[in-house]
Amino acid sequence: MASEKIYLILLFSAVILLLRDAPSVIAGDIVHDDDSTPKKPGCENQFVLVKVQTWVNGVEDAEFVGVGARFGKAIVSKEKNAHHTRLILSDPRDCCSQPKIKIVGDVIMVDRGNCTFTKKANTAQNANASAILIINNQKELYKMVCKPDETDLNIRIPAVMLPLDAGTRLEKMLTSTSSVFVQLYSPLRPAVDMAEVFLWMMAVLTILCASYWSAWTAREAAIEQDKLLKDASDEIPNPTNAGVSGVVNMNVKAAVLFVVFASCFLFMLYKLMSSWFIEVLVVLFCIGGIEGLQTCLVALLSRWFKHAGESYIKVPFLGAISYLTLAVSPLCITVAVLWAVYRNESFGWIGQDILGIALIITVLQIVHVPNLKVGSVLLGCAFIYDIFWVFVSKKFFKESVMIVVARGDRSGEDGIPMLLKFPRIFDPWGGYSIIGFGDILLPGMLVAFSLRYDWLANKSLRSGYFLWAMFAYGFGLLITYVALNLMDGHGQPALLYIVPFTLGTLMTLGRKRGDLRVLWTSGEPERPCPHVRLQHSGELSPE
């Protein structure tokens, strides 16, 4: 049963690592690179998200999110300064010619197409409209820009684009009710996203807990091995065959094959992504979350309920299971089922984070990097994998494959569940800040290795490697969030910043202290075998 559990967690950990990148989630998906939108006089606004609040027959109704145009009047940032203005539907719908209806300072809603954005805005302005809402012909938002040869850019009204589904709902309001009013404003985001601060703390504390659990287990196994060697009388056991029960050590070949397999699987997801596939990932996440939460709870509670943890009962189809595992399993299953049912609710992120953190800690406990060589290969390959599928893939597929898969753009869902999330509580735009499991798991393996080495080498916190590895990871993740904000919320591959800091710190420190060879090859200090002593004659003989 134990080996089956290990294989199950390993299989699931492979899946979540394939989907490891976590772009920042923002309110509204804007399609159009800034590099292809040059500024010029009359067409030099910053692209901003715009809230469109509606009132139907005097009652506050739905709120939509659009994007302001490069041209036109700047949109106010404070809600109290935004006017309530009547919304009307253009006739003709494209607003490429003079409207047939009378407009008295109203906001006019038009369809995209048949003429340029600036032509629509000028027509609406000449007809005495106070603002223009242009409905896109797709579900995404599009940044409205000026063509290089356009000269009629004296546009003094705001222009906002809304997605197709928002336009459909607004049209239904206009045709079924007597009056619809709207309010346009673009609130500023806070300078510091507190959600990212909490995510940073969650990632660091998760690796901290997993590292100490892994090191504690490794030290207990080493102590047990020494006892066995001391008690042996007839033969000398081979210490190289000893290891921690239930632990899988990764090797160089597995690290390289992982990236190859990950790339193939990611490309398959990119081509086959749909709502049913998201449901499959939800089921896999629940299974992995149940196993992870169960493993963590059993390990924690067995300190106080040792007898229940060491007493087993035989269950059909499952084999021998401890009474403690049997007791906590219903709780773990309940948490996973409740999350699956309510995952789209505002509080769904709590269950997702609980299951996710438990799973990450369990994987870091089971999958070990045995030395710095394997860790370097694993993180180096993941570093290349990250950069290619986030940035380079745009050259081949016209979009970032990793970001499309991570967000679930083609699935109709909110994205894959293999993420830690935290709501943007103080952000007027709402949404979530997220981080992929792989951004914690992969560097976490190296950090956990550093603590195991420190404990086996009897190094203090200051003279060891763990403190520096933790600092390097935390600083690398911090730089990731800084870059995320500087890049205006565009998804960033966290390993681009984390890998150089963590790997570079351990290598530099190891070389300076003279431990690099041991760290690179064996990954643990040489320990004298307690079963063997040195005789006066210079011969080795058993005690």
Side-chain angles (χ1 to χ4, degrees), residues 6 12 24 34 54 74 78 108 157 159 190 267-268 272 292 304 335 363-364 393 400 405 431 448:
I6 291 172
F12 184 79
S24 174
D34 287 351
T54 62
K78 294 183 179 180
I108 187 170
I157 63 172
F267 184 73
M268 182 185 72
L272 302 179
W304 294 278
V335 172
V363 172
L364 288 176
S393 61
S400 173
V405 172

Side-chain angles (χ1 to χ4, degrees), residues 435-450:
I435 182 172
F437 285 0
D439 295 331
I440 304 174
L441 273 170
L442 292 175
M445 291 181 185
L446 192 64
V447 175
F449 158 74
S450 69

Side-chain angles (χ1 to χ4, degrees), residues 44-66:
E44 52 189 358
N45 293 342
Q46 296 291 332
F47 292 116
V48 294
L49 293 174
V50 180
K51 288 192 174 186
V52 180
Q53 179 65 58
T54 62
W55 282 265
V56 177
N57 293 331
V59 179
E60 186 173 348
D61 206 283
E63 181 183 85
F64 305 101
V65 176

